[in-house]
Amino acid sequence: MASDQQLSAIKNSKVLMVGAGGIGCELLKTLALSGFQDIHIIDMDTIEVSNLNRQFLFRRSHVGQSKAKVARDAVLKFRPSISITSYHANVKDPQFSVDFFKEFNVVLNGLDNLDARRHVNRLCLAAGVPLVESGTTGFLGQVSVHLKGKTECYECQPKPAPKTYPVCTITSTPSKFVHCIVWAKDLLFAKLFGDKNQENDLNVRSNDGHSSSDHSEDVFEQREDEDVEQYGRRIYDHVFGYNIEVALSNEETWKNRNKPRPIYVKDVPTGNLTQQNGNMREDGDLSAMASLGLKNPQDVWSLAENSKVFFEALKLFFVNRPKDIGNLTFDKDDQLAVEFVTAAANIRASSFGIPLHSLFEAKGIAGNIVHAVATTNAVVAGLIVIEAIKVLQKDNDNHRMTYCLEHPARKMLLMPAEPFEPNKSCYVCSETPLSLEVNTCRSKLRDFVEKIVKSKLGMNFPLIMHGSQILYEVGDDLDADMVAIYSANLEKVLSELPSPVTSGTMLSIEDLQQEFSCTINIKHREEFDEEKEPDGMLLSGWTQPSTLNKNELVGNGGSTSNALLAEGTENATGKKRKLSDISKPTTSDGSGLAESGNQNQPESLDDDDDDDLFISDDLESLTKKKRSQ
Amino acid sequence: MGGDEEQLTEQETALYDRQIRVWGADAQRRLSKSHFLVHGMKGIVAEFCKNIVLAGVGSVTLVDDRMVTEEALSANFLIPPEENAGRGKTLAELCCDSLKEFNPMVLVSVEKGDVSTFGGEFFEKFDAIILSSCSLVKKKLINQKCRKLSKRIAFYTVDCRDSTGEIFVDLQNYKYSKKNIEETVDCQLEYPSFEEAISVPWTALQRKVSKLYFAMRDCSSATADVPYAKFLF
């Protein structure tokens, strides 16, 4: 097996795994079999049935239990003498401080979200601990190594942000199925079953502002004299009929768009609405599909069938789950909620001439489900351990970023590449100032904190200063006075803060837990495009490094789960995913491999069409770009 | 289960949801009806069995009459290390017990004896055969028996040594379709038999064939005792 030197380095190491899911299970197994003796593992999740197709350390009987704990117990069964410490906690908790991270020789990520990845990245930078990052989606996977000062950090290449949609597209002018899903989930479902006190744009029209007048509040409340079926029909007519008619009355909106058609109950032959079968699935979940005899979640229902499901689901909620009304947020594992949202989205889609989708597909979109199989995770776990061993041996010149492809590119399924140097303009590891264009007279501090500091910059416990004045901070040990001042500041527009923020102001922002700070130059701007810049703010300043942004090649189409975050990842069709740019023989030459400086064409790879399987012992000839040596 | 198109059960749909989103419900249905024969329960094969059991194949039949050894434990996470658990059981039997737990919907069983002596009727039961820990002679023999059958059996051999590995695939006459942007193209591949593949004279091989190919050939040879590292200069 490994050489004595390797074995010794492995045996004496202490490693931290973040994530005990798809990659985590495979990784823990592989680490244990490879001779690692001291492993710590953090995961905040509990086990679900849909995990069991690949998270093999878990059994059906474990559903609901902590992933980190069960993974630990399962591995101890075949390696009883190693030490595994599990934490059923969020890696963003303060207990996982920089000092905590400093205890480890290497940190191995098996996460499924960008937010946590950025957080760990910053802590590893602050602690000076090497980080091995990874991600998988279906058959695609990726492993990368991040050594402070030597290679780029995880955030040197900007990662695709979660997709968001302008409000007017959702409320008035949907053009894709995902828009209908967002409408059904975040507006209609939320309005009918969620917190009544929440602001809801359901009745917003494209040229109004928010409109919830008393009149429209009444519309969604069940009246005293109507039974649940009458209620359902009234709601149906209101959202699919009346609201569309109102939208149509604004000619301007539809000048260059296809007009939707209003749909009323009377237009749809729903026939006999009484329950035909039992309304429970085999697993005991309430289901409109079950009671209507619609067995196959892969079927695309007709408008009539979708309407039936709409009414039946609504009824089942009100009759069988009355306590839930007013308390629910959409949960992809709530069968009835998924059925309702699918039906509502499909009816809206029908109205707007958008193709209908099956429950299976709709669930994937609404639930942001990432498709996954065991094998990719197993391969990636193996690659992670290989890189981890190099870290332990301080074999820093031999690190590789490796892409795991679905189809061979240049006859290879695993494409290695050398790590990039740090990006000198990375605001995370290279302290570059950023710029923010914002309307300082209209945007409030709260907007800045939510949309920029927390969301874009990924800080959890920010401290915002203007010169020596603290405008805002979060913490446990603050004076009540200060807390009151900060709360008041949040509601003020930037130019009216105690220390006014105007064009030319430089703000410094810190997150003490992440030991991360940056500066932002403020530039005032009057107008923002509602569709293209829905936040009303534009953050810029970190520039791409001059070499090809290979992460984007993988990110487009979502080859790693960090690119597949929010709404609209229409991958859940049950069909094989189309491979992203990786396999196109364009500038990337089959992968992000061979760039050097500003050139896009690789130097040594053009003659290989006649190749049989060629495993090069010299990766240098395959990977020519700005190296981290 | 009658009916024109067997649907996946609710339980299957729930369990396999994430992978159905990768390869589709139809592929999942076909997987659930497929039968695998696996020979030689070393580390790499343990990994493979884990993957196909999780994937939800119809059945997996394990063959390995060897008793547990220290070496076997080192890379095989299917075997519990306690002495008592392993007493008297063969490698296949131990792995079988563990594999069943990964997915109760898959039929995992053990076959004893030297399968290279079994006849065509035995192999016909399977859709795919994976051989490991098996001499060249036996691999050849089994491959030949499979090729004689009218049913096409997918034939694989796999071996790992230290940090290198090798897979051999024989799908005989393999028809598949390839989707381009414009159209779907029907393709066909004709795989050489195992014997044909390893009989290619080394002088006839392409210049850029990996050194590992030769190393693995040499290692498999019954009489060779040359450390493979010698080839990897």
Side-chain angles (χ1 to χ4, degrees), chain B residues 143 147 155 168-174 189-200:
Chain B
N143 182 242
R147 287 190 138 238
F155 178 89
F168 170 81
V169 182
D170 176 12
L171 301 180
Q172 296 178 42
N173 182 307
Y174 180 53
L189 281 177
E190 195 68 52
Y191 283 75
S193 72
F194 185 80
E195 176 159 27
E196 285 166 353
I198 61 165
S199 305
V200 177

Side-chain angles (χ1 to χ4, degrees), chain A residues 1-2 26 29-30 33 48-60 76-80 138-139 281-284 296-298 332-333 359-365 369-375 378 571-577 607-608 610-615 617, chain B residues 5 7-26 29 43 47-48 50-55 73-82 98-105 162-163 165 179 181 205-213 231-233:
Chain A
M1 270 297 288
E26 295 286 348
K29 171 256 300 170
T30 306
L33 290 176
E48 297 174 5
V49 168
S50 61
N51 299 150
L52 302 176
N53 81 320
R54 63 202 182 281
Q55 299 173 26
F56 71 98
L57 297 176
F58 311 142
R59 303 283 169 262
R60 201 166 274 272
L76 286 177
K77 283 221 187 85
F78 59 89
R79 279 291 184 275
F139 289 126
R281 300 198 314 167
E282 285 164 23
D283 54 11
N296 190 352
Q298 306 254 343
K332 68 180 188 306
D333 298 311
L359 180 108
F360 181 77
E361 294 166 332
K363 178 178 171 181
I365 299 169
I369 294 179
V370 176
H371 53 296
V373 292
T375 46
N571 54 19
T573 58
K575 292 186 266 208
K576 272 178 126 177
R577 287 178 59 75
D607 57 343
D608 286 349
D610 302 328
D611 250 358
D612 221 14
L613 190 62
F614 174 50
I615 305 169
D617 288 331
Chain B
E5 175 106 331
Q7 305 294 351
L8 293 167
T9 65
E10 231 170 69
Q11 199 184 27
E12 285 173 316
T13 311
L15 179 62
Y16 300 135
D17 182 270
R18 300 301 186 265
Q19 66 199 38
I20 291 174
R21 292 176 190 280
V22 174
W23 53 56
D26 187 56
R29 269 188 292 271
E47 267 292 322
F48 170 73
K50 158 184 62 83
N51 293 334
I52 57 165
V53 168
L54 288 174
L73 284 177
S74 70
N76 190 329
F77 60 93
L78 297 176
I79 308 174
E82 308 99 46
S98 300
L99 282 169
K100 280 180 176 161
E101 292 185 13
F102 290 163
N103 189 345
M105 291 198 263
D162 198 41
S163 56
K179 277 191 192 147
I181 306 170
L205 290 170
Q206 300 214 3
R207 276 177 46 220
K208 280 182 176 170
V209 168
S210 167
K211 296 165 195 155
L212 288 174
Y213 175 81
F231 289 93
L232 299 174
F233 47 79

Side-chain angles (χ1 to χ4, degrees), chain A residues 16 130 146 202 206 277 287 299 317 328 351 372 381 392 419 461 489 492 498 505 510-511 521 538 555 584 606:
Chain A
L16 174 66
H146 304 281
L202 191 54
S206 51
N277 312 296
S287 162
D299 285 337
F317 266 118
L328 289 177
S351 182
L392 296 176
F461 299 108
N489 282 351
K492 298 192 174 139
T505 301
E510 274 180 53
D511 181 318
N521 295 323
L538 188 65
K584 284 195 216 143
D606 14 303

Side-chain angles (χ1 to χ4, degrees), chain B residues 46-91:
Chain B
E47 267 292 322
F48 170 73
C49 289
K50 158 184 62 83
N51 293 334
I52 57 165
V53 168
L54 288 174
V57 298
S59 76
V60 181
T61 305
L62 308 174
V63 181
D64 199 325
D65 292 337
R66 294 176 292 187
M67 305 307 282
V68 180
T69 61
E70 192 67 41
E71 200 213 325
L73 284 177
S74 70
N76 190 329
F77 60 93
L78 297 176
I79 308 174
E82 308 99 46
E83 300 239 335
N84 294 329
R87 193 158 294 168
K89 288 194 172 181
T90 65
L91 271 180

Side-chain angles (χ1 to χ4, degrees), chain B residues 122-222:
Chain B
F122 171 75
F123 294 105
E124 216 166 23
K125 295 188 276 184
F126 303 101
D127 299 291
I129 291 176
I130 292 86
L131 299 181
S132 187
S133 305
C134 192
S135 71
L136 268 187
V137 171
K138 285 202 175 150
K139 285 176 183 171
K140 251 195 281 189
L141 200 53
I142 296 172
N143 182 242
Q144 279 161 355
K145 291 191 188 195
C146 289
R147 287 190 138 238
K148 286 209 183 86
L149 299 167
S150 54
K151 173 185 185 184
R152 195 275 309 273
I153 300 177
F155 178 89
Y156 300 81
T157 72
V158 61
D159 288 288
C160 271
R161 281 168 217 282
D162 198 41
S163 56
T164 59
E166 184 190 60
I167 301 177
F168 170 81
V169 182
D170 176 12
L171 301 180
Q172 296 178 42
N173 182 307
Y174 180 53
K175 295 195 174 78
Y176 63 101
S177 28
K178 207 164 163 183
K179 277 191 192 147
N180 296 325
I181 306 170
E182 312 276 300
E183 43 170 11
T184 302
V185 181
D186 285 330
C187 309
Q188 192 171 312
L189 281 177
E190 195 68 52
Y191 283 75
S193 72
F194 185 80
E195 176 159 27
E196 285 166 353
I198 61 165
S199 305
V200 177
W202 290 7
T203 49
L205 290 170
Q206 300 214 3
R207 276 177 46 220
K208 280 182 176 170
V209 168
S210 167
K211 296 165 195 155
L212 288 174
Y213 175 81
F214 304 103
M216 296 298 270
R217 293 283 70 69
D218 197 78
C219 289
S220 323
S221 157

